[in-house]
Amino acid sequence: YQYLSRYKRKQDLDNFIFIHERTEGTEKDCLKLLLEFCGKHNPSWTELSNFTHFLSFQLSKCEKSVFCSPAAGKDFKGF
Protein backbone atom coordinates (compact mmCIF):
# COMPACT_ATOMS: atom_id res chain seq x y z
CA TYR A 1 0.00 0.00 0.00
CA GLN A 2 2.78 2.42 0.89
CA TYR A 3 4.43 2.09 -2.52
CA LEU A 4 1.22 2.09 -4.54
CA SER A 5 -0.24 5.13 -2.78
CA ARG A 6 2.96 7.12 -3.33
CA TYR A 7 3.15 5.97 -6.95
CA LYS A 8 -0.44 7.07 -7.54
CA ARG A 9 0.33 10.51 -6.06
CA LYS A 10 3.38 10.68 -8.36
CA GLN A 11 5.77 10.97 -5.41
CA ASP A 12 9.46 10.17 -5.76
CA LEU A 13 10.05 6.52 -4.83
CA ASP A 14 13.83 6.65 -5.29
CA ASN A 15 14.46 7.59 -1.66
CA PHE A 16 11.41 5.94 -0.10
CA ILE A 17 12.16 3.29 2.52
CA PHE A 18 9.40 0.87 3.43
CA ILE A 19 8.83 0.57 7.17
CA HIS A 20 6.94 -2.58 8.16
CA GLU A 21 5.79 -1.21 11.52
CA ARG A 22 4.16 1.87 10.02
CA THR A 23 0.46 1.70 9.20
CA GLU A 24 -0.90 4.05 6.57
CA GLY A 25 -4.43 4.40 5.27
CA THR A 26 -7.41 2.29 6.13
CA GLU A 27 -8.35 -1.21 5.08
CA LYS A 28 -10.89 0.33 2.71
CA ASP A 29 -8.24 2.59 1.14
CA CYS A 30 -5.90 -0.37 0.71
CA LEU A 31 -8.53 -2.53 -0.95
CA LYS A 32 -9.53 0.28 -3.34
CA LEU A 33 -5.90 0.80 -4.33
CA LEU A 34 -5.29 -2.92 -4.84
CA LEU A 35 -8.39 -3.18 -7.01
CA GLU A 36 -7.22 -0.21 -9.05
CA PHE A 37 -3.71 -1.59 -9.68
CA CYS A 38 -4.49 -5.30 -9.89
CA GLY A 39 -5.16 -5.13 -13.63
CA LYS A 40 -8.24 -7.34 -13.51
CA HIS A 41 -11.86 -6.24 -13.64
CA ASN A 42 -13.66 -7.65 -10.59
CA PRO A 43 -10.76 -9.88 -9.39
CA SER A 44 -11.27 -12.80 -7.03
CA TRP A 45 -9.63 -12.90 -3.61
CA THR A 46 -7.15 -15.39 -5.02
CA GLU A 47 -6.18 -13.01 -7.82
CA LEU A 48 -5.76 -10.15 -5.32
CA SER A 49 -3.68 -12.42 -3.10
CA ASN A 50 -1.47 -13.45 -6.04
CA PHE A 51 -1.07 -9.80 -7.07
CA THR A 52 -0.05 -8.68 -3.57
CA HIS A 53 2.38 -11.57 -3.11
CA PHE A 54 4.00 -10.94 -6.49
CA LEU A 55 4.21 -7.18 -5.89
CA SER A 56 5.68 -7.73 -2.42
CA PHE A 57 8.27 -10.14 -3.83
CA GLN A 58 9.28 -7.75 -6.61
CA LEU A 59 9.50 -4.74 -4.29
CA SER A 60 11.56 -6.74 -1.81
CA LYS A 61 14.01 -7.68 -4.57
CA CYS A 62 14.13 -4.06 -5.75
CA GLU A 63 14.88 -2.77 -2.24
CA LYS A 64 17.85 -5.14 -2.00
CA SER A 65 19.17 -4.44 -5.50
CA VAL A 66 22.34 -2.40 -5.83
CA PHE A 67 20.88 -0.89 -9.01
CA CYS A 68 17.99 0.61 -7.02
CA SER A 69 20.07 1.86 -4.11
CA PRO A 70 20.47 5.59 -3.35
CA ALA A 71 24.13 5.29 -4.44
CA ALA A 72 23.06 4.27 -7.95
CA GLY A 73 20.21 6.79 -8.03
CA LYS A 74 22.36 9.50 -9.55
CA ASP A 75 23.17 7.33 -12.56
CA PHE A 76 19.82 5.52 -12.84
CA LYS A 77 17.30 8.25 -11.97
CA GLY A 78 13.83 6.76 -11.72
CA PHE A 79 15.04 3.22 -12.33
Side-chain angles (χ1 to χ4, degrees):
Y1 176 81
Q2 293 178 26
Y3 278 101
L4 291 177
S5 64
R6 283 168 176 74
Y7 178 78
K8 183 176 178 175
R9 294 189 307 252
K10 299 185 184 328
Q11 291 182 336
D12 183 17
L13 296 173
D14 288 342
N15 298 313
F16 173 67
I17 298 171
F18 174 71
I19 301 172
H20 294 277
E21 294 82 25
R22 184 185 334 171
T23 301
E24 295 181 6
T26 65
E27 290 88 355
K28 185 177 179 179
D29 294 334
C30 182
L31 183 57
K32 286 170 77 174
L33 204 58
L34 289 175
L35 289 170
E36 181 179 338
F37 281 95
C38 179
K40 299 273 296 179
H41 177 69
N42 196 21
S44 67
W45 284 111
T46 302
E47 290 168 326
L48 279 178
S49 177
N50 289 340
F51 171 70
T52 57
H53 284 106
F54 178 76
L55 180 62
S56 178
F57 178 77
Q58 292 298 316
L59 291 172
S60 176
K61 290 290 190 182
C62 181
E63 287 175 345
K64 295 173 187 165
S65 171
V66 67
F67 295 105
C68 298
S69 70
K74 296 174 189 143
D75 296 326
F76 300 106
K77 182 85 172 130
F79 182 70

